């Protein structure tokens, strides 16, 4: 909150030098920790993240002690730090977008390396190689993860999980942390994309393709929604035309096909599970439907943005840009199919 207040006040200043000095004073200590070897090990892979969070410990033992493995002080500290670092960097990225100078540009490279790592690790967490190896008691962590973040009051409990009444409650907060952190990381990435200097970072296109769009088959619907509305939409709008053949074009067709298939499958599954009798099941069903509606609307909005580009093809008054030509040549049928499915 304090960082946001300072940045908001500073955004009213016309003194670019002052803005740069304040950004430096905020980010220098933050990025020292963000790029540390210790945090790098934690975010090195999905398995490393699960281990650092205590998700490879036995939940059954926790019912005797009252503290789940992911409720220990070590696991809590890691979660608190990642949550805090992402929140500060996102606040800086959001509130400094329209400043007199691009105060954040010098920091893009040092932010992006660990950011790509944490997104990749979170994506990988849901793969069979990682999630499938978790203790059986953690199955609930994945099966009802879609609605875990719905209760925003969970955020206030991040620092006191070991004081909660039961490992069951600790598990609910753990679910919320996983989804929220995933969304915050993707939102930070989208904020950074709004600056032209983002695309000047060496190897940023390859990193996007190999981390952000890798292992996304099983990510929660809420995270998929953020990937569509924040990352993919911003990438399409902000990527320089000369870089789109390398950054955007390789991913856009398989991404549309994937999202269409994922949403279709999820809606069919929801319809087949409807009519449950218990109040808890009914609540979960409503929450899942809300998440699917948000993701579907985000996908529809993304397709609408593409349709404007497609409309320039064949126009006698407008010289169709490279993106429109690519879409018309490679995505006409996929676009039509996806659009019809949303009707």
């Amino acid at each position: 909150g304090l960082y946001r207040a300072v940045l908001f006040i500073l955004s009213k200043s016309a003194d670019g030098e002052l803005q740069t000095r304040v950004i430096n004073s905020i980010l220098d200590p933050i990025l020292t920790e963000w790029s540390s070897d210790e945090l790098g090990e934690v975010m090195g892979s999905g398995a490393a993240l699960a281990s650092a969070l205590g998700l490879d410990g036995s939940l059954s033992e926790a019912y005797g002690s009252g503290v789940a493995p992911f409720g220990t002080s070590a696991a809590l500290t890691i979660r608190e730090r990642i949550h805090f670092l992402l929140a500060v960097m996102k606040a800086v990225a959001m509130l400094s977008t329209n400043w007199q100078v691009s105060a954040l540009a010098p920091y893009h490279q040092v932010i992006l390396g660990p950011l790509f790592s944490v997104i990749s690790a979170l994506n990988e967490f849901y793969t069979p190689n990682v999630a499938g190896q978790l203790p059986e008691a953690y199955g609930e962590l994945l099966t009802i993860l879609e609605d875990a973040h719905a209760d925003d009051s969970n955020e206030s409990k991040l620092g006191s999980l070991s004081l909660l009444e039961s490992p069951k409650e600790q598990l609910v907060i753990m679910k919320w942390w996983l989804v929220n952190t995933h969304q915050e990381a993707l939102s930070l990435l989208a904020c950074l994309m709004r600056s032209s200097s983002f695309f000047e970072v060496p190897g940023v296109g390859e990193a996007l393709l190999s981390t952000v769009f890798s292992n996304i088959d099983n990510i929660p619907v809420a995270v998929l929604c953020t990937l569509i509305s924040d990352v993919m939409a911003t990438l399409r709008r902000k990527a320089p035309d000369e870089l789109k053949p390398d950054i955007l074009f390789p991913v856009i067709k398989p991404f549309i096909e994937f999202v269409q298939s994922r949403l279709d499958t999820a809606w069919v599954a929801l319809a087949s599970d409807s009519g449950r009798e218990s109040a808890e099941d009914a609540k979960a069903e409503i929450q899942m439907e809300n998440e699917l509606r948000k993701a579907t609307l985000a996908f529809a909005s993304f397709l609408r943005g593409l349709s404007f580009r497609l409309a320039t093809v064949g126009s006698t008054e407008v010289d169709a840009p490279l993106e429109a030509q690519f879409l018309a040549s490679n995505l006409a049928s996929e676009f039509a199919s996806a659009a019809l499915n949303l009707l």
Side-chain angles (χ1 to χ4, degrees), residues 154-190:
N154 288 333
E155 183 170 9
S156 64
K157 301 175 182 176
L158 279 173
S160 58
L161 295 191
S162 60
L163 302 180
L164 296 178
E165 293 182 3
S166 69
K168 170 78 171 181
E169 290 178 308
Q170 295 169 29
L171 193 61
V172 171
I173 306 300
M174 186 70 244
K175 299 168 192 173
W176 178 89
W177 185 90
L178 284 165
V179 173
N180 180 265
T181 300
H182 213 154
Q183 290 178 304
E184 286 291 286
L186 291 172
S187 293
L188 170 58
L189 179 63

Side-chain angles (χ1 to χ4, degrees), residues 212-250:
V212 178
F213 295 105
S214 177
N215 294 319
I216 60 173
D217 290 0
N218 300 303
I219 60 175
V221 170
V223 176
L224 177 62
C225 182
T226 304
L227 184 60
I228 298 168
S229 61
D230 289 14
V231 176
M232 199 63 185
T234 305
L235 179 62
R236 194 198 67 77
R237 292 196 308 268
K238 296 297 185 179
D241 288 340
E242 64 272 17
L243 294 181
K244 284 183 177 178
D246 297 323
I247 295 179
L248 180 65
F249 295 173

Side-chain angles (χ1 to χ4, degrees), residues 2-8 10 19-32 84-85 87-89 91-92 99 104 107:
L2 178 59
Y3 285 109
R4 288 181 179 274
V6 170
L7 291 165
F8 178 76
L10 198 62
Q19 292 175 336
T20 299
R21 287 203 308 270
V22 173
I23 288 291
N24 292 345
S25 66
I26 291 175
L27 285 184
D28 284 346
I30 291 292
L31 293 182
T32 296
F84 172 74
L85 295 172
V88 173
M89 289 185 290
V92 172
W99 284 11
L104 199 59
Y107 293 101

